[in-house]
């Protein structure tokens, strides 16, 4: 699948050059704008892999847009600017830019910057997925521990017997232990008494 890109650059000639270069390299430009206050909605609508944002644009600057894009994890961000002062680069980094390119730039600079931005974005997505998975596992464990404690208190089961009941029920019903634990906690499931 070719990389899908949105361009936000207020200078029409630079926007046109970017589009041509990207298309020559096999990327697909799914949207473009010259205004910073419309780029986030454009990105939400087109769902690109990468946004190339100029820092200075009418309506809102690229830094503001980058912060929103980063907070919502919409896509990777490559910042363009005519300014290369350290504080501008740091602001772009802090706003969520994954790569930075100073205008005027060459095609030989653009493509590596895109690849760096996308590599970093994929790494962030993978890490976010791992964090989400770990969070879900931790929450499942907490719910299972609460259900186990309830069985121990109500039915005087040992910890091993309470855990075994949850585990065996999940296996027999081909469901998650978390689902069994939820049913124990809401009172709809208890072990059969002899």
């Amino acid at each position: 699948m070719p990389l899908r890109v949105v361009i936000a650059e207020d200078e029409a000639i630079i926007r046109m050059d970017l589009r041509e270069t990207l298309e020559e390299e096999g990327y697909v430009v799914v949207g473009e704008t010259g205004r910073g206050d419309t780029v986030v909605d454009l990105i939400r609508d087109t769902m690109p892999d990468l946004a190339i944002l100029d820092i200075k644009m009418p309506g809102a600057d690229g830094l503001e847009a980058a912060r929103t894009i980063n907070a919502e994890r919409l896509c990777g961000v490559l910042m363009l600017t005519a300014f290369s002062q350290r504080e501008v680069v740091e602001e772009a980094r802090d706003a969520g830019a994954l790569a930075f390119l100073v205008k005027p730039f060459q095609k030989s600079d653009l493509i590596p910057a895109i690849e760096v931005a996308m590599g970093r974005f994929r790494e962030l997505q993978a890490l976010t997925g791992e964090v989400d998975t770990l969070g879900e596992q931790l929450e499942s464990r907490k719910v299972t521990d609460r259900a186990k404690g309830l069985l121990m208190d109500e039915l005087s089961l040992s910890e091993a017997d309470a855990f075994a009941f949850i585990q065996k029920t999940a296996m027999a019903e081909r469901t998650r232990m978390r689902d069994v634990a939820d049913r124990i906690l809401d009172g709809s499931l208890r072990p059969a008494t002899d």
Side-chain angles (χ1 to χ4, degrees):
M1 295 270 307
L3 195 73
R4 297 164 41 85
V5 182
V6 162
I7 301 168
E9 163 63 58
D10 62 332
E11 294 182 48
I13 191 80
I14 294 174
R15 204 166 56 238
M16 186 178 70
D17 285 346
L18 269 171
R19 174 185 274 280
E20 285 177 14
T21 301
L22 292 169
E23 289 174 346
E24 284 172 10
E25 291 296 316
Y27 301 112
V28 176
V29 177
V30 295
E32 56 184 88
T33 181
R35 298 191 54 87
D37 53 358
T38 62
V39 69
V40 175
D41 287 335
L42 178 62
I43 288 168
R44 287 181 185 131
D45 292 343
T46 59
M47 302 297 292
D49 302 301
L50 178 72
I52 299 177
L53 307 176
D54 187 15
I55 288 184
K56 302 289 184 199
M57 290 184 285
D61 67 16
L63 296 171
E64 187 177 323
R67 284 185 200 93
T68 303
I69 293 163
N70 188 43
E72 295 180 25
R73 299 183 191 137
L74 297 173
C75 64
V77 174
L78 168 63
M79 298 299 296
L80 290 179
T81 185
F83 309 100
S84 60
Q85 295 94 339
R86 183 176 192 84
E87 59 273 3
V88 174
V89 174
E90 288 173 355
E91 276 187 83
R93 180 203 60 214
D94 294 345
L98 301 171
F100 190 86
L101 203 53
V102 178
K103 299 185 278 188
F105 54 86
Q106 302 298 313
K107 180 178 177 177
S108 61
D109 299 324
L110 177 63
I111 305 310
I114 288 171
E115 294 305 319
V116 166
M118 287 312 303
R120 288 181 176 164
F121 184 67
R122 288 183 189 112
E123 287 173 6
L124 287 172
Q125 285 181 309
L127 288 172
T128 299
E130 288 176 25
V131 167
D132 291 346
T133 299
L134 289 172
E136 289 170 21
Q137 289 173 347
L138 180 60
E139 186 58 31
S140 290
R141 183 172 180 156
K142 286 179 183 177
V143 170
T144 302
D145 283 347
R146 282 198 307 269
K148 191 171 56 171
L150 185 99
L151 292 176
M152 291 165 60
D153 291 344
E154 271 187 14
L155 305 174
S156 299
L157 294 177
S158 69
E159 184 176 358
D161 288 342
F163 182 78
F165 170 73
I166 295 169
Q167 186 178 43
K168 287 177 184 173
T169 304
M171 288 173 31
E173 295 179 357
R174 297 178 188 252
T175 188
R176 300 178 310 160
M177 289 178 57
R178 163 85 186 256
D179 296 333
V180 173
D182 284 336
R183 289 173 43 217
I184 291 168
L185 292 172
D186 73 16
S188 65
L189 177 65
R190 292 292 184 271
T193 54
D194 296 332

